[in-house]
């Protein structure tokens, strides 16, 4: 049976679909989170070089991956919204931004917590740290631009342009920062870990990565539902929901 | 059309000379504040100079972005320009060029003088000026996107800095990097080539993105 995907481009039908999907993803996220943290803290052995401090990777690595991945997804939806003028795509982009910024912040924060015992400093101007910081600036720029515009459709389109300009610039910024760093012969530390990782460590990390995925999907769908209600509050289908007492 | 826009914007700038001078003096003051805050030690100043001059140029160019479209937006000229059958990206390119000639070129000409204050050697002064000459047009072009997006918004001055400054980072790195490489006695032509590449890429893409942002803002 073919599914009519276009049906779900309508905020009204997507609202119901997302409502069904949120608990599903939320439960998986919680399950994976418990499993991942259990493996991370109780099963995985301590590292012979880094001791217990390496355990930060169970949060740090998923957060860093999600922060970059979510920016691309956000730019993708924003671009779709700009090209096809679909309202729901732009709402998705708006819903993704806070979660992406949260993960970026988490990656920076946990990274500096790890850096203190390992490198003896909270912050080094390493290429990866610097580009992650710039990524945070890009998220904040996107969100503050959308927040400054009162008309939601204009906010969608303006946000889409800055997200697309940002996504083109990310590789340029990344390589500039990397080259800048090598030129300056920065602090003689390396973020790269020992290449071999115990199997349980890898399992724990991957479980946490999936937990972050599921968490992001659940939270973003929840947030997009709120945005749909806010923007569609004048429509009849929302009024009907209100009458039925579903809100 | 392109030259007409450039000519018109330059004429407007000449009629209101104080705007140009304000940007220039902002640049000079920011650069002069650094020795006062970190001390007059010449060796340190010399190593800081490329970065300080470049950051000040970034800020000065960004501060003047407000004037790029705002006055045309307020008196309705911009709306007429959007309605005209001429290509909007070309028009934006003209406005960005005029903006650069008004706010960028004075900075480029002033930079060697400020470099002397920081005791830069002669060939470093040349590299500094040349890197600014290649880099400041990129700032005007990228800035046009931000200026278009924030047109008519409250607090647009601060907002445009949030949007535009992260995108300026590659220009800053290679602009200041060229001078530092020259002072360290290593080849700096790769930096200048990259700055030139940024300039070409932004001439092609930035007017197009800025035109799209103007259309969004003027709906």
């Amino acid at each position: 049976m073919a599914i009519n995907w276009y049906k779900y481009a309508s905020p009204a039908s997507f609202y119901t679909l997302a409502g069904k999907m949120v608990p599903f993803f939320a439960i998986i996220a919680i399950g994976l989170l418990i499993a991942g943290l259990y493996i991370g803290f109780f099963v995985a052995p301590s590292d012979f070089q880094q001791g217990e401090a390496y355990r930060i990777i169970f949060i740090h690595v998923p957060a860093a991956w999600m922060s970059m991945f979510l920016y691309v997804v956000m730019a993708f939806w924003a671009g779709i919204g700009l090209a096809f003028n679909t309202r729901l795509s732009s709402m998705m982009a708006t819903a993704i931004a806070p979660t992406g910024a949260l993960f970026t912040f988490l990656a920076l924060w946990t990274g500096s917590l790890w850096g203190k015992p390992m490198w003896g400093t909270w912050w080094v101007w390493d290429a990866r740290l610097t580009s992650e910081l710039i990524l945070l600036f890009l998220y904040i720029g996107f969100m503050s631009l959308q927040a400054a515009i009162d008309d939601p459709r204009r906010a969608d389109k303006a946000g889409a342009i800055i997200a697309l300009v940002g996504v083109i610039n990310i590789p340029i910024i990344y390589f500039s920062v990397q080259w800048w760093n090598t030129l300056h012969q920065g602090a003689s530390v390396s973020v790269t870990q020992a290449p071999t990782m115990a199997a349980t460590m890898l399992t724990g990390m991957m479980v946490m990565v999936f937990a972050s995925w599921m968490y992001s999907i659940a939270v973003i769908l929840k947030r997009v539902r709120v945005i749909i209600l806010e923007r569609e509050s004048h429509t009849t289908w929302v009024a009907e929901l209100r009458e039925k007492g579903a809100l | 059309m392109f030259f007409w826009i450039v000519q018109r914007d330059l004429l407007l700038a000449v009629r209101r000379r104080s705007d140009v001078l304000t940007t220039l003096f902002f640049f000079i003051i920011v650069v002069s504040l650094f020795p006062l805050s970190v001390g007059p030690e010449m060796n340190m100043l010399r190593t800081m100079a490329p970065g300080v001059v470049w950051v000040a140029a970034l800020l000065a160019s960004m501060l003047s972005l407000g004037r790029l479209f705002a006055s045309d937006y307020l008196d309705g000229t911009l709306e007429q320009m959007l309605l005209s059958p001429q290509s909007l990206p070309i028009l934006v390119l003209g406005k960005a060029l005029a903006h650069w000639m008004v706010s960028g070129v004075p900075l480029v000409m002033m930079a060697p003088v400020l470099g002397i204050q920081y005791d830069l050697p002669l060939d470093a002064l040349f590299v500094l000026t040349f890197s600014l000459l290649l880099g400041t047009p990129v700032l005007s072009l990228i800035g046009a996107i931000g200026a278009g997006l924030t047109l008519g918004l409250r607090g647009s001055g601060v907002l445009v800095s949030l949007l535009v400054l992260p995108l300026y980072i590659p220009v800053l790195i290679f602009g200041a990097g060229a001078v530092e490489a020259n002072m360290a006695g290593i080849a700096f032509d790769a930096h200048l080539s990259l700055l030139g590449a940024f300039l070409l890429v932004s001439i092609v893409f930035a007017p197009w993105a800025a035109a799209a942002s103007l259309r969004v803002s003027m709906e």
Side-chain angles (χ1 to χ4, degrees), chain A residues 86-173:
Chain A
T86 43
R87 282 174 301 153
L88 188 62
S89 321
S90 307
M91 293 184 202
M92 275 302 276
T94 313
I96 291 171
T99 307
L102 171 78
F103 275 119
T104 317
F105 178 72
L106 267 183
L108 286 171
W109 188 26
T110 53
S112 83
L113 284 181
W114 179 83
K116 187 64 186 170
M118 285 301 122
W119 301 337
T121 166
W122 298 108
W123 182 263
V124 289
W125 288 97
D126 172 82
R128 291 195 203 192
L129 277 76
T130 315
S131 23
E132 192 75 8
L133 184 67
I134 296 168
L135 185 65
L136 183 64
F137 296 157
L138 290 177
Y139 272 120
I140 288 175
F142 176 84
M143 288 194 290
S144 43
L145 178 66
Q146 290 210 321
I149 303 176
D150 293 324
D151 171 25
R153 291 302 288 149
R154 183 184 162 189
D156 286 345
K157 288 176 185 168
I161 291 175
I162 202 71
L164 289 175
V165 171
V167 94
I168 295 166
N169 264 283
I170 281 180
I172 301 178
I173 294 176

Side-chain angles (χ1 to χ4, degrees), chain A residues 141 150 154 157 179 183-184, chain B residues 151 154 174 191 194 217 219:
Chain A
D150 293 324
R154 183 184 162 189
K157 288 176 185 168
W179 201 24
L183 255 179
H184 279 250
Chain B
L151 206 56
R154 57 197 134 76
F174 292 112
H191 295 82
L194 274 164
S217 299
E219 262 175 12

Side-chain angles (χ1 to χ4, degrees), chain A residues 20-62:
Chain A
K20 286 179 194 142
M21 282 154 73
V22 167
F24 175 73
F25 285 108
I27 289 169
I28 299 184
I30 294 171
L32 285 175
L33 186 72
I34 294 172
L37 286 179
Y38 179 76
I39 298 174
F41 280 108
F42 298 105
V43 180
S46 40
D47 189 82
F48 89 102
Q49 276 179 323
Q50 307 188 4
E52 302 297 332
Y54 90 92
R55 288 183 201 277
I56 204 86
I57 63 160
F58 296 117
I59 310 251
H60 179 71
V61 176

